[in-house]
Amino acid sequence: MIGQVRILGRDQPYLGPFPKPPLAGTPNLDNFHKSEISFLTKQGCGLLPRCPRTISKAKCPSKSITDMITNRESGQLKGFNFSPDDKRVIGNCKLPTKMKNVDMYENKAFCGIYSHDGNMLVTAAQDRFLRTYDCSNSYTFKELQVIQGRDIGWSVLDTTFSPDSSKVAYSSWSSCVHMVEVDKGDNGRHVSLPLCPEERRFCVFSLMFSNKGNEILCGANDGHIYIYNLARNDRTMRIEAHDDDVNAVAFADETSNIIFSGGDDGFCKVWDRRLMPAEGSPKPVGVLAGHLDGITYIDSRFDGHHFISNSKDQSIKLWDIRVMSSRMAQECTRKAVNSNKWDYRWQTAPRKLITRKTNIKGDTSIATYRGHSVLQTLIRCHFSPKFSTGQRYIVTGCAFGRIVVYDILTGNMVLKLRGHSSVVRDVSWHPWRPEMISSSWDFSVLCWNHYGINHDTTENDLKPSCWEDEQDWNSTQHLRRSRRIADRARTFNALT
């Protein structure tokens, strides 16, 4: 029987008789090591040297951090400094593990993303407000705006920055996407962008600006993909894409011609806008099948070929769109999805999904990563930044209050950060600092960095930052709750 438990005066869904998250299995990386992305990732994160052929291996900088610093300071290797690869080697050794509280709201936090330049953070919660913060100074967050969302049904579900970081678009259960200028403070213009759907109960689950900032891509619950053109101030495309909700959409690269989509039908599809009419039911250029349940999120590597997908089957898959799935694989996915009778919003995942170790027949994914839980909401996953890590890692939220980081090269779970007491829906990695933001249904937004205690962070705030022992983590929860309840009581007494 599914019930409710009372935590911090809030109603939290009961996750059933299996209170611990699933154990991470040993991934099968045979296809990954044969693929191009294996070489690209190793090269991108500095594991493969990019020295000119005229320079001998003996003169190549050492990949030891100590040796790199010594060589740079001594000047023994003329012409060498910290190259981008060297910086990524250092960045991959300095992953964010220390916790700092950013803000606490009165409702569930759904979204928290950095701007493209890394100078601004925007969060969205179920209280129907968007909040912007100045984070241009390392690990400090100064609230800039509190924006009242318009036409919000249930909650703000997704937010996205424009490429120049001057605007934020957001969506909800509404027939419109809304956009607000955040670089002009309270004087910023707030506009509605009508998508003109045919259904009355309409929702946009996922949206993304094009690279030029003149279009917004949307995925909706009516199974369609929408594109709104800001220059023409009109919806320019409505494509029937999936048989069920479209939970995730993304552009493949800077051209914005290739689109990825994922839906509750379990399929990831690839679309080429150059081959599509503005309306109707075009065919995708390819279908990627292998998940056993609906897709909750897609993140593009932005190289035109690779992306990752998070799924209710409790796994993340890495795909190469140059290897599409056969009709047999598509049929296997369709049967697997149709056979599922559980509801991820209220129930725990079936054992057949949690304990599964093999892929379905015809699965063309490059790698599968397991160990996190996708329950209660559309939990998101992302590649780590190219600048600081060479996109070596995948970070995802978890229904058990964790931030999980996978190493793409090994498939192993390298970080399990604990600091939240409820679902972590979204995690955003700073584009160039060793820093992450996590947004949780425990009403909090946390910052994770490498450098430890900040000037406004107390020792108690840091205690649950990176527990590896389930028993240690569970034993600390009543202390943190009691402390917060006492703080609330003191605040209430002072006000009354």
Side-chain angles (χ1 to χ4, degrees):
M1 178 179 179
I2 305 302
Q4 301 279 325
V5 294
R6 199 74 173 174
I7 299 179
L8 303 176
R10 308 160 186 173
D11 291 331
Q12 301 287 346
Y14 172 57
L15 290 177
F18 308 107
K20 292 186 178 182
L23 297 176
T26 303
N28 185 341
L29 299 180
D30 292 342
N31 292 334
F32 175 82
H33 292 308
K34 300 175 184 176
S35 68
E36 180 190 29
I37 193 174
S38 174
F39 171 79
L40 293 176
T41 303
K42 291 177 182 178
Q43 189 179 62
C45 64
L47 296 181
L48 295 180
R50 302 192 191 192
C51 299
R53 294 181 180 179
T54 57
I55 300 177
S56 66
K57 292 183 179 180
K59 294 184 179 180
C60 290
S62 169
K63 292 308 177 183
S64 163
I65 297 177
T66 304
D67 291 343
M68 283 192 288
I69 295 174
T70 302
N71 292 334
R72 184 188 68 172
E73 297 303 319
S74 64
Q76 292 179 0
L77 298 179
K78 295 183 179 180
F80 282 102
N81 205 326
F82 280 170
S83 67
D85 288 348
D86 294 333
K87 294 175 183 177
R88 290 166 189 157
V89 169
I90 297 173
N92 287 329
C93 296
K94 309 296 182 182
L95 297 180
T97 59
K98 307 299 182 181
M99 186 186 76
K100 165 186 165 60
N101 184 56
V102 175
D103 212 340
M104 179 74 70
Y105 306 137
E106 293 299 321
N107 296 90
K108 298 173 181 176
F110 272 69
C111 306
I113 60 169
Y114 288 106
S115 59
H116 297 281
D117 58 13
N119 293 329
M120 190 178 296
L121 169 72
V122 65
T123 64
Q126 203 173 19
D127 59 5
R128 304 181 181 181
F129 285 98
L130 290 87
R131 296 170 176 85
T132 62
Y133 301 83
D134 179 3
C135 55
S136 55
N137 294 326
S138 297
Y139 318 117
T140 59
F141 297 86
K142 178 183 178 182
E143 188 176 279
L144 298 176
Q145 293 171 276
V146 179
I147 304 168
Q148 172 70 65
R150 296 184 180 179
D151 194 19
I152 302 299
W154 193 57
S155 177
V156 176
L157 297 179
D158 197 11
T159 56
T160 180
F161 270 102
S162 61
D164 61 1
S165 304
S166 66
K167 303 179 185 68
V168 168
Y170 63 93
S171 65
S172 181
W173 285 90
S174 169
S175 60
C176 297
V177 169
H178 298 269
M179 185 175 67
V180 59
E181 295 176 340
V182 295
D183 62 339
K184 297 182 180 180
D186 295 335
N187 298 322
R189 197 166 52 121
H190 205 147
V191 296
S192 299
L193 312 176
L195 297 178
C196 305
E198 296 180 357
E199 293 189 6
R200 293 185 59 187
R201 184 169 170 76
F202 180 78
C203 174
V204 172
F205 288 117
S206 177
L207 70 165
M208 181 181 183
F209 272 97
S210 63
N211 188 60
K212 293 182 179 180
N214 61 336
E215 292 179 319
I216 299 179
L217 173 67
C218 308
N221 69 324
D222 61 356
H224 287 72
I225 296 173
Y226 293 80
I227 292 182
Y228 193 94
N229 190 298
L230 298 174
R232 294 175 52 179
N233 197 27
D234 191 18
R235 185 199 80 192
T236 55
M237 188 171 290
R238 179 177 182 267
I239 300 298
E240 186 177 354
H242 291 263
D243 296 332
D244 213 326
D245 296 356
V246 180
N247 296 326
V249 288
F251 288 114
D253 54 23
E254 295 180 352
T255 66
S256 303
N257 287 325
I258 306 299
I259 296 172
F260 302 142
S261 67
D264 270 341
D265 55 7
F267 294 118
C268 298
K269 297 185 178 182
V270 183
W271 309 84
D272 191 336
R273 296 176 60 187
R274 296 163 294 188
L275 306 176
M276 294 193 300
E279 304 284 340
S281 303
K283 293 183 179 180
V285 295
V287 178
L288 297 164
H291 279 297
L292 305 176
D293 213 327
I295 310 300
T296 64
Y297 197 73
I298 281 176
D299 189 45
S300 172
R301 197 172 183 270
F302 231 59
D303 60 1
H305 298 142
H306 303 96
F307 70 93
I308 52 175
S309 58
N310 209 3
S311 173
K312 300 172 188 177
D313 68 4
Q314 316 301 299
S315 73
I316 293 173
K317 286 185 179 291
L318 175 62
W319 304 92
D320 186 335
I321 65 172
R322 293 167 292 188
V323 184
M324 298 297 182
S325 300
S326 64
R327 291 186 178 181
M328 176 194 66
Q330 296 177 39
E331 188 60 30
C332 290
T333 291
R334 187 174 289 108
K335 289 181 179 179
V337 173
N338 292 336
S339 66
N340 290 325
K341 303 301 180 183
W342 71 294
D343 193 326
Y344 84 111
R345 296 172 297 177
W346 317 111
Q347 297 172 292
T348 53
R351 283 189 177 274
K352 66 178 182 179
L353 296 180
I354 297 176
T355 59
R356 189 177 183 92
K357 298 181 180 179
T358 58
N359 295 333
I360 64 172
K361 192 173 182 179
D363 183 354
T364 54
S365 62
I366 299 176
T368 303
Y369 306 92
R370 299 180 184 273
H372 65 292
S373 274
V374 181
L375 301 171
Q376 303 184 57
T377 185
L378 301 176
I379 292 177
R380 301 168 168 228
C381 63
H382 302 275
F383 283 103
S384 61
K386 182 177 181 179
F387 177 87
S388 58
T389 68
Q391 296 179 302
R392 177 174 178 172
Y393 302 103
I394 295 173
V395 59
T396 179
C398 179
F400 289 86
R402 308 182 303 171
I403 295 95
V404 176
V405 178
Y406 296 99
D407 187 339
I408 290 179
L409 297 176
T410 64
N412 296 327
M413 188 186 298
V414 294
L415 285 182
K416 294 182 289 184
L417 304 177
R418 310 178 188 278
H420 293 286
S421 59
S422 188
V423 177
V424 178
R425 185 177 187 267
D426 199 8
V427 184
S428 178
W429 203 310
H430 195 279
W432 48 272
R433 289 199 302 249
E435 174 182 307
M436 294 188 295
I437 286 291
S438 56
S439 308
S440 173
W441 279 18
D442 67 0
F443 304 14
S444 68
V445 176
L446 301 181
C447 171
W448 303 85
N449 59 61
H450 172 74
Y451 297 107
I453 298 178
N454 198 278
H455 63 87
D456 56 352
T457 306
T458 65
E459 182 181 357
N460 288 330
D461 290 329
L462 290 173
K463 281 185 179 179
S465 60
C466 187
W467 294 97
E468 293 295 335
D469 193 316
E470 290 283 348
Q471 185 176 0
D472 289 346
W473 164 246
N474 293 331
S475 65
T476 64
Q477 287 304 289
H478 69 281
L479 296 176
R480 296 182 69 240
R481 294 174 199 154
S482 300
R483 181 170 174 263
R484 290 188 180 181
I485 292 172
D487 290 343
R488 282 192 174 187
R490 283 195 293 270
T491 303
F492 178 79
N493 293 333
L495 294 175
T496 55

